[in-house]
Amino acid sequence: MASNSELTEVVKKSLEQRGVLNQVKARIRAEVYSAIDRPAEGRPVISNENILINELIRDYLEFNKYQYTASVLTAESGMAKEPLDREFLRTELNVVEDAPSRSVPLLYSIVSHYTQQGPAATSQQQKSRTAFLEQITKDDDDGSGPDDPIVVKGRPR
């Protein structure tokens, strides 16, 4: 007969092999945080910039199906349960999207623009940027990537 510690180890290995253990741990952390969260106590008012950043992060987390991490972010930051409208975010961040870029989080578009495009962007960098966005969209889309460049207008500091 197996001891409790042996049985525990077998169950743990089984959950790890199936990829469930990390999801269970994340869910427990989210539920514990939610149970002890006191939204009105000591939470500072956050700036408009932090609200926009939090929304970009939430959009990224939800797109990648990190729902427990997103729920902890929402609870810890005091964000509204419903995300801000994408059109509002686009307008506030001065982001101009093409049709294919609308299928990925705004954060991907912004990162892609600033890492792959610039005044001296080579054709290889443009190909890398296109491949980057195609890779992101292939699992959630029909596999088509962006044909036109994404235009992101930076805000003056």
Side-chain angles (χ1 to χ4, degrees):
M1 182 180 250
S3 69
N4 280 344
S5 63
E6 291 171 332
L7 182 59
T8 301
E9 196 58 35
V10 168
V11 170
K12 181 180 174 185
K13 284 183 182 179
S14 174
L15 292 173
E16 283 175 342
Q17 289 172 344
R18 293 186 358 226
V20 176
L21 187 59
N22 286 336
Q23 290 176 344
V24 170
K25 287 179 179 179
R27 177 63 187 228
I28 290 170
R29 279 192 293 274
E31 292 299 327
V32 167
Y33 186 82
S34 179
I36 62 173
D37 185 36
R38 292 179 178 80
E41 292 182 18
R43 183 170 290 137
V45 175
I46 62 173
S47 68
N48 290 340
E49 287 81 10
N50 278 359
I51 292 170
L52 294 173
I53 291 167
N54 287 346
E55 287 294 337
L56 288 171
I57 293 168
R58 176 179 17 200
D59 182 38
Y60 162 82
L61 292 172
E62 290 177 353
F63 176 83
N64 286 290
K65 298 177 180 40
Y66 301 144
Q67 64 266 28
Y68 303 120
T69 306
S71 70
V72 171
L73 171 67
T74 301
E76 190 172 7
S77 67
M79 297 168 69
K81 296 277 186 214
E82 291 298 315
L84 291 177
D85 180 66
R86 184 180 178 103
E87 183 65 26
F88 174 79
L89 288 173
R90 261 188 0 82
T91 302
E92 286 298 303
L93 296 168
N94 296 318
V95 174
V96 177
E97 295 182 292
D98 59 7
S101 67
R102 289 186 191 105
S103 65
V104 298
L106 285 172
L107 193 53
Y108 281 122
S109 298
I110 294 167
V111 168
S112 177
H113 173 79
Y114 283 107
T115 59
Q116 302 296 330
Q117 195 159 340
T122 66
S123 79
Q124 181 60 39
Q125 287 173 319
Q126 289 287 32
K127 288 177 188 174
S128 296
R129 179 184 162 278
T130 300
F132 172 76
L133 289 174
E134 285 174 348
Q135 178 65 35
I136 294 163
T137 59
K138 82 174 184 179
D139 292 334
D140 280 6
D141 204 17
D142 61 358
S144 62
D147 295 325
D148 300 320
I150 298 170
V151 179
V152 179
K153 297 179 182 175
R155 296 176 90 173
R157 292 185 182 245

mmCIF file of all heavy atoms in Angstrom, residues 60-100:
data_model
loop_
_atom_site.group_PDB
_atom_site.id
_atom_site.type_symbol
_atom_site.label_atom_id
_atom_site.label_comp_id
_atom_site.label_asym_id
_atom_site.label_seq_id
_atom_site.Cartn_x
_atom_site.Cartn_y
_atom_site.Cartn_z
ATOM 1 N N TYR A 60 -2.858 42.021 -23.252
ATOM 2 C CA TYR A 60 -1.837 41.016 -23.559
ATOM 3 C C TYR A 60 -2.083 39.716 -22.789
ATOM 4 O O TYR A 60 -2.044 38.624 -23.358
ATOM 5 C CB TYR A 60 -0.451 41.586 -23.231
ATOM 6 C CG TYR A 60 0.616 40.534 -23.092
ATOM 7 C CD1 TYR A 60 1.247 40.017 -24.218
ATOM 8 C CD2 TYR A 60 0.983 40.044 -21.842
ATOM 9 C CE1 TYR A 60 2.223 39.037 -24.085
ATOM 10 C CE2 TYR A 60 1.949 39.068 -21.714
ATOM 11 C CZ TYR A 60 2.570 38.566 -22.843
ATOM 12 O OH TYR A 60 3.514 37.596 -22.717
ATOM 13 N N LEU A 61 -2.339 39.835 -21.488
ATOM 14 C CA LEU A 61 -2.554 38.646 -20.656
ATOM 15 C C LEU A 61 -3.781 37.862 -21.118
ATOM 16 O O LEU A 61 -3.739 36.625 -21.225
ATOM 17 C CB LEU A 61 -2.707 39.042 -19.188
ATOM 18 C CG LEU A 61 -1.462 39.608 -18.499
ATOM 19 C CD1 LEU A 61 -1.816 40.137 -17.121
ATOM 20 C CD2 LEU A 61 -0.363 38.569 -18.427
ATOM 21 N N GLU A 62 -4.866 38.549 -21.394
ATOM 22 C CA GLU A 62 -6.083 37.868 -21.816
ATOM 23 C C GLU A 62 -5.925 37.230 -23.197
ATOM 24 O O GLU A 62 -6.406 36.127 -23.425
ATOM 25 C CB GLU A 62 -7.270 38.831 -21.774
ATOM 26 C CG GLU A 62 -7.651 39.173 -20.349
ATOM 27 C CD GLU A 62 -8.772 40.190 -20.225
ATOM 28 O OE1 GLU A 62 -9.203 40.762 -21.260
ATOM 29 O OE2 GLU A 62 -9.224 40.416 -19.087
ATOM 30 N N PHE A 63 -5.216 37.895 -24.097
ATOM 31 C CA PHE A 63 -4.960 37.340 -25.429
ATOM 32 C C PHE A 63 -4.194 36.022 -25.321
ATOM 33 O O PHE A 63 -4.463 35.073 -26.051
ATOM 34 C CB PHE A 63 -4.158 38.340 -26.268
ATOM 35 C CG PHE A 63 -3.763 37.828 -27.629
ATOM 36 C CD1 PHE A 63 -4.659 37.881 -28.685
ATOM 37 C CD2 PHE A 63 -2.497 37.307 -27.854
ATOM 38 C CE1 PHE A 63 -4.293 37.416 -29.946
ATOM 39 C CE2 PHE A 63 -2.133 36.842 -29.112
ATOM 40 C CZ PHE A 63 -3.035 36.899 -30.163
ATOM 41 N N ASN A 64 -3.242 35.965 -24.397
ATOM 42 C CA ASN A 64 -2.413 34.773 -24.214
ATOM 43 C C ASN A 64 -3.026 33.771 -23.243
ATOM 44 O O ASN A 64 -2.381 32.806 -22.864
ATOM 45 C CB ASN A 64 -1.011 35.181 -23.771
ATOM 46 C CG ASN A 64 -0.238 35.770 -24.922
ATOM 47 O OD1 ASN A 64 0.131 35.064 -25.841
ATOM 48 N ND2 ASN A 64 -0.027 37.078 -24.899
ATOM 49 N N LYS A 65 -4.262 34.032 -22.840
ATOM 50 C CA LYS A 65 -5.030 33.145 -21.969
ATOM 51 C C LYS A 65 -4.390 32.970 -20.588
ATOM 52 O O LYS A 65 -4.444 31.899 -19.996
ATOM 53 C CB LYS A 65 -5.274 31.796 -22.654
ATOM 54 C CG LYS A 65 -6.097 31.966 -23.925
ATOM 55 C CD LYS A 65 -6.294 30.696 -24.659
ATOM 56 C CE LYS A 65 -7.097 30.835 -25.926
ATOM 57 N NZ LYS A 65 -6.898 31.945 -26.773
ATOM 58 N N TYR A 66 -3.801 34.038 -20.078
ATOM 59 C CA TYR A 66 -3.277 34.064 -18.709
ATOM 60 C C TYR A 66 -4.362 34.671 -17.814
ATOM 61 O O TYR A 66 -4.167 35.714 -17.195
ATOM 62 C CB TYR A 66 -2.004 34.906 -18.617
ATOM 63 C CG TYR A 66 -0.858 34.445 -19.499
ATOM 64 C CD1 TYR A 66 -0.013 35.376 -20.088
ATOM 65 C CD2 TYR A 66 -0.605 33.100 -19.729
ATOM 66 C CE1 TYR A 66 1.051 34.976 -20.880
ATOM 67 C CE2 TYR A 66 0.457 32.694 -20.520
ATOM 68 C CZ TYR A 66 1.283 33.641 -21.090
ATOM 69 O OH TYR A 66 2.338 33.250 -21.870
ATOM 70 N N GLN A 67 -5.532 34.025 -17.774
ATOM 71 C CA GLN A 67 -6.683 34.614 -17.108
ATOM 72 C C GLN A 67 -6.482 34.801 -15.616
ATOM 73 O O GLN A 67 -6.989 35.760 -15.034
ATOM 74 C CB GLN A 67 -7.967 33.830 -17.405
ATOM 75 C CG GLN A 67 -7.997 32.418 -16.899
ATOM 76 C CD GLN A 67 -7.542 31.409 -17.931
ATOM 77 O OE1 GLN A 67 -6.745 31.710 -18.814
ATOM 78 N NE2 GLN A 67 -8.035 30.195 -17.814
ATOM 79 N N TYR A 68 -5.754 33.911 -14.961
ATOM 80 C CA TYR A 68 -5.555 34.061 -13.519
ATOM 81 C C TYR A 68 -4.618 35.230 -13.226
ATOM 82 O O TYR A 68 -4.855 36.007 -12.306
ATOM 83 C CB TYR A 68 -5.049 32.759 -12.902
ATOM 84 C CG TYR A 68 -5.982 31.613 -13.159
ATOM 85 C CD1 TYR A 68 -5.569 30.493 -13.851
ATOM 86 C CD2 TYR A 68 -7.320 31.671 -12.758
ATOM 87 C CE1 TYR A 68 -6.448 29.445 -14.120
ATOM 88 C CE2 TYR A 68 -8.201 30.643 -13.023
ATOM 89 C CZ TYR A 68 -7.754 29.522 -13.701
ATOM 90 O OH TYR A 68 -8.613 28.509 -13.971
ATOM 91 N N THR A 69 -3.578 35.355 -14.018
ATOM 92 C CA THR A 69 -2.672 36.492 -13.854
ATOM 93 C C THR A 69 -3.419 37.796 -14.109
ATOM 94 O O THR A 69 -3.257 38.771 -13.377
ATOM 95 C CB THR A 69 -1.475 36.361 -14.812
ATOM 96 O OG1 THR A 69 -0.856 35.090 -14.607
ATOM 97 C CG2 THR A 69 -0.460 37.470 -14.585
ATOM 98 N N ALA A 70 -4.261 37.804 -15.131
ATOM 99 C CA ALA A 70 -5.063 39.002 -15.435
ATOM 100 C C ALA A 70 -6.012 39.320 -14.289
ATOM 101 O O ALA A 70 -6.194 40.492 -13.941
ATOM 102 C CB ALA A 70 -5.840 38.803 -16.737
ATOM 103 N N SER A 71 -6.592 38.289 -13.666
ATOM 104 C CA SER A 71 -7.526 38.553 -12.564
ATOM 105 C C SER A 71 -6.794 39.116 -11.350
ATOM 106 O O SER A 71 -7.323 39.980 -10.653
ATOM 107 C CB SER A 71 -8.318 37.299 -12.194
ATOM 108 O OG SER A 71 -7.499 36.342 -11.574
ATOM 109 N N VAL A 72 -5.563 38.649 -11.111
ATOM 110 C CA VAL A 72 -4.780 39.204 -9.999
ATOM 111 C C VAL A 72 -4.407 40.652 -10.308
ATOM 112 O O VAL A 72 -4.522 41.527 -9.453
ATOM 113 C CB VAL A 72 -3.535 38.346 -9.701
ATOM 114 C CG1 VAL A 72 -2.608 39.046 -8.710
ATOM 115 C CG2 VAL A 72 -3.937 36.977 -9.164
ATOM 116 N N LEU A 73 -3.978 40.939 -11.535
ATOM 117 C CA LEU A 73 -3.653 42.313 -11.928
ATOM 118 C C LEU A 73 -4.860 43.218 -11.730
ATOM 119 O O LEU A 73 -4.747 44.309 -11.160
ATOM 120 C CB LEU A 73 -3.197 42.373 -13.386
ATOM 121 C CG LEU A 73 -3.029 43.776 -13.971
ATOM 122 C CD1 LEU A 73 -1.867 44.516 -13.315
ATOM 123 C CD2 LEU A 73 -2.847 43.712 -15.474
ATOM 124 N N THR A 74 -6.016 42.768 -12.173
ATOM 125 C CA THR A 74 -7.234 43.563 -12.051
ATOM 126 C C THR A 74 -7.558 43.842 -10.587
ATOM 127 O O THR A 74 -7.835 44.981 -10.207
ATOM 128 C CB THR A 74 -8.415 42.838 -12.739
ATOM 129 O OG1 THR A 74 -8.086 42.634 -14.112
ATOM 130 C CG2 THR A 74 -9.684 43.647 -12.649
ATOM 131 N N ALA A 75 -7.488 42.806 -9.757
ATOM 132 C CA ALA A 75 -7.809 42.973 -8.341
ATOM 133 C C ALA A 75 -6.774 43.842 -7.630
ATOM 134 O O ALA A 75 -7.125 44.757 -6.878
ATOM 135 C CB ALA A 75 -7.893 41.607 -7.661
ATOM 136 N N GLU A 76 -5.506 43.575 -7.875
ATOM 137 C CA GLU A 76 -4.449 44.287 -7.158
ATOM 138 C C GLU A 76 -4.365 45.756 -7.548
ATOM 139 O O GLU A 76 -4.095 46.615 -6.714
ATOM 140 C CB GLU A 76 -3.099 43.598 -7.412
ATOM 141 C CG GLU A 76 -1.990 44.118 -6.539
ATOM 142 C CD GLU A 76 -0.728 43.302 -6.658
ATOM 143 O OE1 GLU A 76 -0.653 42.394 -7.511
ATOM 144 O OE2 GLU A 76 0.201 43.577 -5.892
ATOM 145 N N SER A 77 -4.606 46.057 -8.811
ATOM 146 C CA SER A 77 -4.476 47.435 -9.272
ATOM 147 C C SER A 77 -5.745 48.247 -9.079
ATOM 148 O O SER A 77 -5.729 49.459 -9.227
ATOM 149 C CB SER A 77 -4.096 47.450 -10.756
ATOM 150 O OG SER A 77 -5.165 46.952 -11.527
ATOM 151 N N GLY A 78 -6.860 47.560 -8.790
ATOM 152 C CA GLY A 78 -8.128 48.266 -8.636
ATOM 153 C C GLY A 78 -8.758 48.645 -9.965
ATOM 154 O O GLY A 78 -9.604 49.530 -10.028
ATOM 155 N N MET A 79 -8.354 47.966 -11.029
ATOM 156 C CA MET A 79 -8.905 48.241 -12.353
ATOM 157 C C MET A 79 -10.381 47.853 -12.383
ATOM 158 O O MET A 79 -10.817 46.993 -11.622
ATOM 159 C CB MET A 79 -8.160 47.417 -13.420
ATOM 160 C CG MET A 79 -6.691 47.745 -13.545
ATOM 161 S SD MET A 79 -5.791 46.517 -14.540
ATOM 162 C CE MET A 79 -6.462 46.824 -16.151
ATOM 163 N N ALA A 80 -11.105 48.461 -13.300
ATOM 164 C CA ALA A 80 -12.504 48.080 -13.510
ATOM 165 C C ALA A 80 -12.543 46.651 -14.037
ATOM 166 O O ALA A 80 -11.615 46.209 -14.715
ATOM 167 C CB ALA A 80 -13.150 49.028 -14.512
ATOM 168 N N LYS A 81 -13.605 45.930 -13.727
ATOM 169 C CA LYS A 81 -13.744 44.546 -14.200
ATOM 170 C C LYS A 81 -13.777 44.487 -15.728
ATOM 171 O O LYS A 81 -13.224 43.592 -16.332
ATOM 172 C CB LYS A 81 -15.015 43.905 -13.637
ATOM 173 C CG LYS A 81 -15.009 43.766 -12.140
ATOM 174 C CD LYS A 81 -14.274 42.534 -11.711
ATOM 175 C CE LYS A 81 -14.422 42.372 -10.202
ATOM 176 N NZ LYS A 81 -13.275 41.796 -9.595
ATOM 177 N N GLU A 82 -14.449 45.452 -16.345
ATOM 178 C CA GLU A 82 -14.534 45.499 -17.800
ATOM 179 C C GLU A 82 -13.362 46.308 -18.359
ATOM 180 O O GLU A 82 -13.096 47.418 -17.892
ATOM 181 C CB GLU A 82 -15.850 46.140 -18.246
ATOM 182 C CG GLU A 82 -17.067 45.291 -17.954
ATOM 183 C CD GLU A 82 -17.027 43.958 -18.684
ATOM 184 O OE1 GLU A 82 -16.697 43.939 -19.885
ATOM 185 O OE2 GLU A 82 -17.318 42.940 -18.036
ATOM 186 N N PRO A 83 -12.676 45.786 -19.362
ATOM 187 C CA PRO A 83 -11.549 46.524 -19.946
ATOM 188 C C PRO A 83 -12.004 47.787 -20.674
ATOM 189 O O PRO A 83 -13.160 47.883 -21.097
ATOM 190 C CB PRO A 83 -10.932 45.534 -20.923
ATOM 191 C CG PRO A 83 -11.843 44.377 -21.026
ATOM 192 C CD PRO A 83 -12.894 44.486 -19.978
ATOM 193 N N LEU A 84 -11.083 48.719 -20.808
ATOM 194 C CA LEU A 84 -11.363 49.911 -21.605
ATOM 195 C C LEU A 84 -11.533 49.500 -23.062
ATOM 196 O O LEU A 84 -10.937 48.526 -23.522
ATOM 197 C CB LEU A 84 -10.212 50.917 -21.490
ATOM 198 C CG LEU A 84 -10.015 51.600 -20.139
ATOM 199 C CD1 LEU A 84 -8.796 52.506 -20.173
ATOM 200 C CD2 LEU A 84 -11.251 52.385 -19.739
ATOM 201 N N ASP A 85 -12.317 50.253 -23.786
ATOM 202 C CA ASP A 85 -12.562 50.008 -25.191
ATOM 203 C C ASP A 85 -11.257 50.155 -25.985
ATOM 204 O O ASP A 85 -10.496 51.099 -25.765
ATOM 205 C CB ASP A 85 -13.616 51.003 -25.692
ATOM 206 C CG ASP A 85 -13.947 50.820 -27.143
ATOM 207 O OD1 ASP A 85 -14.516 49.768 -27.483
ATOM 208 O OD2 ASP A 85 -13.623 51.732 -27.935
ATOM 209 N N ARG A 86 -10.999 49.222 -26.893
ATOM 210 C CA ARG A 86 -9.772 49.246 -27.694
ATOM 211 C C ARG A 86 -9.652 50.550 -28.484
ATOM 212 O O ARG A 86 -8.572 51.115 -28.600
ATOM 213 C CB ARG A 86 -9.740 48.044 -28.632
ATOM 214 C CG ARG A 86 -8.442 47.955 -29.439
ATOM 215 C CD ARG A 86 -8.462 46.746 -30.354
ATOM 216 N NE ARG A 86 -7.275 46.661 -31.159
ATOM 217 C CZ ARG A 86 -6.269 45.833 -30.930
ATOM 218 N NH1 ARG A 86 -6.299 45.013 -29.904
ATOM 219 N NH2 ARG A 86 -5.214 45.809 -31.725
ATOM 220 N N GLU A 87 -10.760 51.032 -29.022
ATOM 221 C CA GLU A 87 -10.741 52.278 -29.795
ATOM 222 C C GLU A 87 -10.280 53.443 -28.911
ATOM 223 O O GLU A 87 -9.514 54.293 -29.346
ATOM 224 C CB GLU A 87 -12.124 52.552 -30.384
ATOM 225 C CG GLU A 87 -12.193 53.773 -31.256
ATOM 226 C CD GLU A 87 -11.354 53.647 -32.527
ATOM 227 O OE1 GLU A 87 -11.119 52.522 -33.002
ATOM 228 O OE2 GLU A 87 -10.916 54.698 -33.030
ATOM 229 N N PHE A 88 -10.736 53.458 -27.672
ATOM 230 C CA PHE A 88 -10.304 54.492 -26.733
ATOM 231 C C PHE A 88 -8.795 54.395 -26.500
ATOM 232 O O PHE A 88 -8.085 55.400 -26.528
ATOM 233 C CB PHE A 88 -11.057 54.350 -25.409
ATOM 234 C CG PHE A 88 -10.570 55.282 -24.344
ATOM 235 C CD1 PHE A 88 -10.948 56.615 -24.338
ATOM 236 C CD2 PHE A 88 -9.701 54.838 -23.344
ATOM 237 C CE1 PHE A 88 -10.486 57.492 -23.362
ATOM 238 C CE2 PHE A 88 -9.235 55.698 -22.373
ATOM 239 C CZ PHE A 88 -9.624 57.030 -22.381
ATOM 240 N N LEU A 89 -8.292 53.175 -26.264
ATOM 241 C CA LEU A 89 -6.848 52.986 -26.057
ATOM 242 C C LEU A 89 -6.056 53.443 -27.273
ATOM 243 O O LEU A 89 -5.042 54.135 -27.143
ATOM 244 C CB LEU A 89 -6.529 51.517 -25.753
ATOM 245 C CG LEU A 89 -6.944 50.990 -24.400
ATOM 246 C CD1 LEU A 89 -6.710 49.484 -24.325
ATOM 247 C CD2 LEU A 89 -6.204 51.699 -23.283
ATOM 248 N N ARG A 90 -6.515 53.034 -28.452
ATOM 249 C CA ARG A 90 -5.838 53.429 -29.690
ATOM 250 C C ARG A 90 -5.747 54.944 -29.809
ATOM 251 O O ARG A 90 -4.702 55.490 -30.125
ATOM 252 C CB ARG A 90 -6.619 52.890 -30.904
ATOM 253 C CG ARG A 90 -6.128 51.653 -31.509
ATOM 254 C CD ARG A 90 -6.813 51.277 -32.825
ATOM 255 N NE ARG A 90 -7.860 52.131 -33.374
ATOM 256 C CZ ARG A 90 -7.671 53.236 -34.102
ATOM 257 N NH1 ARG A 90 -6.471 53.673 -34.353
ATOM 258 N NH2 ARG A 90 -8.695 53.915 -34.574
ATOM 259 N N THR A 91 -6.859 55.608 -29.525
ATOM 260 C CA THR A 91 -6.899 57.067 -29.624
ATOM 261 C C THR A 91 -5.964 57.713 -28.604
ATOM 262 O O THR A 91 -5.190 58.613 -28.940
ATOM 263 C CB THR A 91 -8.344 57.578 -29.421
ATOM 264 O OG1 THR A 91 -9.186 56.964 -30.400
ATOM 265 C CG2 THR A 91 -8.420 59.079 -29.538
ATOM 266 N N GLU A 92 -6.028 57.247 -27.371
ATOM 267 C CA GLU A 92 -5.185 57.815 -26.309
ATOM 268 C C GLU A 92 -3.696 57.611 -26.579
ATOM 269 O O GLU A 92 -2.877 58.435 -26.213
ATOM 270 C CB GLU A 92 -5.543 57.202 -24.957
ATOM 271 C CG GLU A 92 -6.848 57.689 -24.388
ATOM 272 C CD GLU A 92 -6.842 59.198 -24.123
ATOM 273 O OE1 GLU A 92 -5.960 59.665 -23.371
ATOM 274 O OE2 GLU A 92 -7.715 59.892 -24.663
ATOM 275 N N LEU A 93 -3.346 56.501 -27.208
ATOM 276 C CA LEU A 93 -1.939 56.173 -27.466
ATOM 277 C C LEU A 93 -1.481 56.599 -28.860
ATOM 278 O O LEU A 93 -0.336 56.357 -29.232
ATOM 279 C CB LEU A 93 -1.716 54.665 -27.290
ATOM 280 C CG LEU A 93 -1.949 54.152 -25.871
ATOM 281 C CD1 LEU A 93 -1.985 52.632 -25.858
ATOM 282 C CD2 LEU A 93 -0.901 54.684 -24.921
ATOM 283 N N ASN A 94 -2.381 57.216 -29.615
ATOM 284 C CA ASN A 94 -2.073 57.648 -30.978
ATOM 285 C C ASN A 94 -1.568 56.500 -31.845
ATOM 286 O O ASN A 94 -0.571 56.620 -32.550
ATOM 287 C CB ASN A 94 -1.047 58.796 -30.975
ATOM 288 C CG ASN A 94 -1.592 60.027 -30.320
ATOM 289 O OD1 ASN A 94 -2.740 60.388 -30.522
ATOM 290 N ND2 ASN A 94 -0.770 60.669 -29.502
ATOM 291 N N VAL A 95 -2.253 55.370 -31.788
ATOM 292 C CA VAL A 95 -1.879 54.195 -32.572
ATOM 293 C C VAL A 95 -2.782 54.106 -33.789
ATOM 294 O O VAL A 95 -4.003 54.176 -33.671
ATOM 295 C CB VAL A 95 -2.009 52.898 -31.732
ATOM 296 C CG1 VAL A 95 -1.759 51.665 -32.579
ATOM 297 C CG2 VAL A 95 -1.062 52.944 -30.548
ATOM 298 N N VAL A 96 -2.168 53.957 -34.958
ATOM 299 C CA VAL A 96 -2.904 53.747 -36.192
ATOM 300 C C VAL A 96 -2.676 52.293 -36.582
ATOM 301 O O VAL A 96 -1.546 51.862 -36.757
ATOM 302 C CB VAL A 96 -2.406 54.690 -37.308
ATOM 303 C CG1 VAL A 96 -3.139 54.422 -38.618
ATOM 304 C CG2 VAL A 96 -2.562 56.140 -36.886
ATOM 305 N N GLU A 97 -3.778 51.536 -36.711
ATOM 306 C CA GLU A 97 -3.668 50.112 -37.015
ATOM 307 C C GLU A 97 -4.115 49.819 -38.432
ATOM 308 O O GLU A 97 -4.945 50.522 -38.984
ATOM 309 C CB GLU A 97 -4.572 49.300 -36.088
ATOM 310 C CG GLU A 97 -4.194 49.342 -34.640
ATOM 311 C CD GLU A 97 -5.120 48.471 -33.821
ATOM 312 O OE1 GLU A 97 -6.305 48.811 -33.690
ATOM 313 O OE2 GLU A 97 -4.639 47.443 -33.335
ATOM 314 N N ASP A 98 -3.562 48.724 -38.977
ATOM 315 C CA ASP A 98 -4.107 48.184 -40.208
ATOM 316 C C ASP A 98 -4.985 46.990 -39.830
ATOM 317 O O ASP A 98 -5.031 46.596 -38.659
ATOM 318 C CB ASP A 98 -3.002 47.804 -41.193
ATOM 319 C CG ASP A 98 -2.038 46.775 -40.645
ATOM 320 O OD1 ASP A 98 -2.274 46.228 -39.543
ATOM 321 O OD2 ASP A 98 -1.036 46.495 -41.315
ATOM 322 N N ALA A 99 -5.692 46.434 -40.780
ATOM 323 C CA ALA A 99 -6.640 45.349 -40.488
ATOM 324 C C ALA A 99 -5.982 44.159 -39.781
ATOM 325 O O ALA A 99 -6.505 43.682 -38.775
ATOM 326 C CB ALA A 99 -7.355 44.918 -41.753
ATOM 327 N N PRO A 100 -4.846 43.638 -40.263
ATOM 328 C CA PRO A 100 -4.256 42.470 -39.593
ATOM 329 C C PRO A 100 -3.789 42.743 -38.158
ATOM 330 O O PRO A 100 -3.858 41.866 -37.307
ATOM 331 C CB PRO A 100 -3.066 42.104 -40.478
ATOM 332 C CG PRO A 100 -3.384 42.682 -41.810
ATOM 333 C CD PRO A 100 -4.163 43.939 -41.519
#
